[in-house]
Amino acid sequence: MIQSLAGRQLDGLPLDNISVLRLDQLGGAAPGNKSFKLRLHLRRAQARGVTRILSFGGGWSNHLHALAAVGSELGLQTIGVVRGGDTDTAMLEDVRRWGMQLVPVSREDYRRRDQADYQRQLAARFGPCLVIPEGGAGSAGLLGSRAIADLARVPWQWSRVVVAVGSGTTLAGLAAGLENARELVGISALKGASDLESRVTAMLAGAGQQARLPWHIDHDWHCGGFARADERLRQFIPAFAAATGIPLEPVYTGKLFLALYHKLASGEWRADEPLLAIHSGGLQGRRGYAWLTTTDVAD
Ligand SMILES: *Cc1c(COP(=O)(O)O)cnc(C)c1O
């Protein structure tokens, strides 16, 4: 599940020392990091005897997608509170098929998703149920993501581990779990999310965890903003797939590997040191981008 890119090159740049942790190939119907983030949330529900889970997302939410998939596997009822406007997507078609009940709400209501009184209101209407924060965040999400670090534990040391960042929960889990790396670098998928570092620090403290290695977040690779794609990213994703056989999506992993490629090509990072990139999945979301063709997936 760790794939070496030895022997591969992209535009003349040798990729030999890059390894990729293919979470996109793990987790069955719920591949990628989201099933890790859900793991402890669901265990908590089962421990409490709760059989109904409610959570939040937009029309292209990888989190709701994973929750619906895992819920149907475990025989749990799932409810997705969906940010208004975009309920008619390929992703939500999947989740409906897996039995998730969708509750479209206005953008104003959706903004209240983390407020206790709003969650109580929802629980009264749809309960008894466990409410999971958007994206599977929170301490349970962090501790679930820590298990990803176990998959990176090989008998050698990585110079760097790199991962895409949305809420920062997965990065925080990795920071708490990784031992065999010199540093952990997050590539933010969001534009100007300058509070991410303090949120990661707060999440670690809230979960009673400490970072075991230095980490930082690079904010320069959002390519226009969350879920946006500029020309550079549009050209990079098919080129990377042609060079490596590894499919990427534009929201998170495309930006991660684009950043990685440029840091190596510019010499900012040494190309002769072993580096692990986490492929956090999300490939189901490719259907939202008409400019992506399935022909760039060379597997
Ligand atoms: C949600 C997601 C991320 C970001 O995870 P966070 O824990 O929110 O930082 C990265 N990659 C993919 C594919 C995702 O779906």
Side-chain angles (χ1 to χ4, degrees):
M1 143 207 7
I2 292 182
Q3 179 183 348
S4 164
L5 298 188
R8 310 288 181 135
Q9 56 170 29
L10 181 51
D11 283 343
L13 178 77
L15 307 175
D16 297 87
N17 292 303
I18 301 177
S19 297
V20 183
L21 178 56
R22 299 288 306 269
L23 299 184
D24 61 310
Q25 296 188 325
L26 285 182
N33 65 335
K34 292 300 184 288
S35 59
F36 287 88
K37 294 172 75 177
L38 279 169
R39 210 180 263 192
L40 295 191
H41 284 293
L42 296 177
R43 213 171 283 164
R44 192 174 283 176
Q46 287 176 316
R48 291 186 197 161
V50 178
T51 57
R52 195 177 298 154
I53 319 273
L54 180 144
S55 195
F56 307 88
W60 290 94
S61 164
N62 291 331
H63 164 64
L64 288 184
H65 201 261
L67 176 61
V70 176
S72 95
E73 271 170 18
L74 298 178
L76 296 164
Q77 293 173 25
T78 53
I79 299 166
V81 176
V82 182
R83 188 179 52 220
D86 42 338
T87 47
D88 213 17
T89 65
M91 298 278 271
L92 294 184
E93 237 168 71
D94 290 345
V95 311
R96 275 195 204 96
R97 196 157 26 91
W98 287 322
M100 177 176 267
Q101 179 188 347
L102 293 180
V103 182
V105 300
S106 67
R107 286 179 178 263
E108 293 72 53
D109 280 351
Y110 193 80
R111 249 176 247 129
R112 300 173 57 206
R113 64 192 176 277
D114 290 328
Q115 294 174 8
D117 64 329
Y118 184 57
Q119 293 190 359
R120 266 197 300 275
Q121 218 172 296
L122 289 168
R125 183 164 154 214
F126 298 104
C129 63
L130 179 82
V131 177
I132 298 181
E134 180 186 61
S139 293
L142 187 161
L143 295 172
S145 309
R146 203 176 51 177
I148 299 172
D150 298 335
L151 302 176
R153 201 163 287 144
V154 287
W156 64 81
Q157 189 83 4
W158 303 108
S159 64
R160 288 191 180 84
V161 174
V162 292
V163 67
V165 172
S167 67
T169 312
T170 305
L171 175 97
L174 283 165
L178 271 177
E179 284 171 327
N180 55 324
R182 213 171 56 212
E183 70 168 346
L184 170 65
V185 180
I187 304 296
S188 175
L190 295 93
K191 186 176 178 174
S194 54
D195 62 340
L196 267 173
E197 286 83 355
S198 59
R199 275 164 41 199
V200 168
T201 303
M203 274 189 260
L204 282 164
Q209 298 292 308
Q210 273 179 345
R212 295 189 181 188
L213 78 176
W215 59 270
H216 68 267
I217 297 172
D218 189 328
H219 296 269
D220 293 336
W221 299 93
H222 56 75
C223 301
F226 185 66
R228 301 267 173 86
D230 57 13
E231 197 47 42
R232 203 170 43 157
L233 183 63
R234 287 172 195 231
Q235 287 180 3
F236 178 78
I237 290 175
F240 184 82
T244 65
I246 299 178
L248 304 173
E249 45 70 50
V251 183
Y252 295 105
T253 55
K255 294 172 185 180
L256 171 73
F257 282 91
L258 178 69
L260 176 55
Y261 171 78
H262 279 283
K263 284 171 187 294
L264 292 172
S266 70
E268 181 186 340
W269 286 357
R270 289 176 57 151
D272 60 350
E273 294 182 336
L275 192 149
L276 180 70
I278 313 266
H279 191 317
S280 44
L283 297 175
Q284 61 276 356
R286 287 170 49 96
R287 291 171 292 176
Y289 294 87
W291 52 269
L292 278 170
T293 61
T294 48
T295 53
D296 77 315
V297 183
D299 57 358

